[in-house]
Amino acid sequence: MGQINVTKTNLTDVLIVEPAVFGDHRGFFTESYSEEDFKVAGITANFVQDNHSLSSQAGVLRGLHFQKGESAQTKLIRVVTGAVLDVIVDIRKGSPTYGKWEGYILSEANHRQLLVPKGFAHGFVTLTDNVNFLYKCDNYYNAEADGGIAFDDPDLAIDWPIDIKKAILSEKDQHHPTLKEFSAENPFVYGEI
């Protein structure tokens, strides 16, 4: 039944995935994930874990996060209620898009999904209240491999659509290093992960 539309982005290896949505006066139906359809589209990640977060208010900013080393994760991200600006940064040394970021609106209305490969820092800011944010991972979470980049890194100059001084943040997300500070220990090398 499936079918998905896959669009390349300006960031190397990042894809926007749009599954077919069948709607009528009752609502809609979509296959949010079909291993067969994804393989036909050339996406072969073996997803082993599903994660779900709820952000109850607009202005919640989470990120920029990643898992290091053998715990690195490819993620397939979607929003089932509300809307976010989802932001990713290429942190793979040697990548043609190293240090570049892009933001994508993911929402319950557009049904878009974002495929984020290993070696990207990821975060989002909620644009509405009550955001249910779901993502598949191709590797299990490992607290010891947890890493992050500062969401307000001046060299990245991410254009968050909120006043970042008023962002609702976790304690952890207020203390990540900049990309320059992280670069000395950076385990991600383009083509090796």
Side-chain angles (χ1 to χ4, degrees), residues 119-148:
F120 279 79
H122 168 260
F124 65 88
V125 64
T126 58
L127 304 176
T128 63
D129 292 342
N130 297 315
V131 170
N132 278 280
F133 186 94
L134 280 68
Y135 57 105
K136 294 182 168 303
C137 300
D138 73 343
N139 209 345
Y140 297 105
Y141 176 76
N142 177 353
E144 294 176 10
D146 213 17

Side-chain angles (χ1 to χ4, degrees), residues 10-11 36 66 72 78 85 99 110 122 125 127 130 135 140 142 147 170 179 181:
N10 293 324
L11 293 176
E36 183 178 322
F66 52 86
R78 67 190 180 106
L85 175 68
N110 68 21
H122 168 260
V125 64
L127 304 176
N130 297 315
Y135 57 105
Y140 297 105
N142 177 353
S170 70
L179 183 56
E181 291 166 340

Side-chain angles (χ1 to χ4, degrees), residues 35-49:
E35 182 178 33
E36 183 178 322
D37 288 344
F38 274 63
K39 282 184 179 176
V40 168
I43 301 169
T44 58
N46 180 30
F47 296 111
V48 298
Q49 180 175 311

Side-chain angles (χ1 to χ4, degrees), residues 20-190:
V21 178
F22 305 93
D24 62 21
H25 66 282
R26 301 166 298 164
F28 72 89
F29 173 83
T30 186
E31 288 181 1
S32 60
Y33 177 76
S34 163
E35 182 178 33
E36 183 178 322
D37 288 344
F38 274 63
K39 282 184 179 176
V40 168
I43 301 169
T44 58
N46 180 30
F47 296 111
V48 298
Q49 180 175 311
D50 281 358
N51 297 325
H52 182 161
S53 75
L54 168 68
S55 298
S56 58
Q57 302 172 62
V60 169
L61 196 154
R62 298 179 187 255
L64 300 160
H65 304 145
F66 52 86
Q67 291 271 283
K68 301 179 209 170
E70 292 181 7
S71 296
Q73 297 173 322
T74 294
K75 298 176 182 175
L76 179 65
I77 298 165
R78 67 190 180 106
V79 169
V80 294
T81 60
V84 304
L85 175 68
D86 198 85
V87 172
I88 57 175
V89 179
D90 189 345
I91 60 172
R92 302 170 298 172
K93 292 179 183 175
S95 166
T97 55
Y98 176 79
K100 304 283 188 224
W101 71 271
E102 281 197 345
Y104 311 89
I105 300 291
L106 303 178
S107 73
E108 66 182 291
N110 68 21
H111 303 281
R112 284 188 180 150
Q113 299 180 38
L114 187 64
L115 184 77
V116 181
K118 293 173 172 71
F120 279 79
H122 168 260
F124 65 88
V125 64
T126 58
L127 304 176
T128 63
D129 292 342
N130 297 315
V131 170
N132 278 280
F133 186 94
L134 280 68
Y135 57 105
K136 294 182 168 303
C137 300
D138 73 343
N139 209 345
Y140 297 105
Y141 176 76
N142 177 353
E144 294 176 10
D146 213 17
I149 298 292
F151 71 92
D152 58 352
D153 182 332
D155 291 331
L156 295 176
I158 295 171
D159 186 15
W160 297 104
I162 63 166
D163 179 350
I164 59 171
K165 292 177 183 157
K166 295 181 181 176
I168 302 164
L169 298 159
S170 70
E171 180 66 26
K172 177 178 84 171
D173 286 347
Q174 296 177 47
H175 303 289
H176 293 305
T178 65
L179 183 56
K180 278 184 185 172
E181 291 166 340
F182 172 70
S183 65
E185 66 172 271
N186 186 348
F188 299 111
V189 178
Y190 181 67

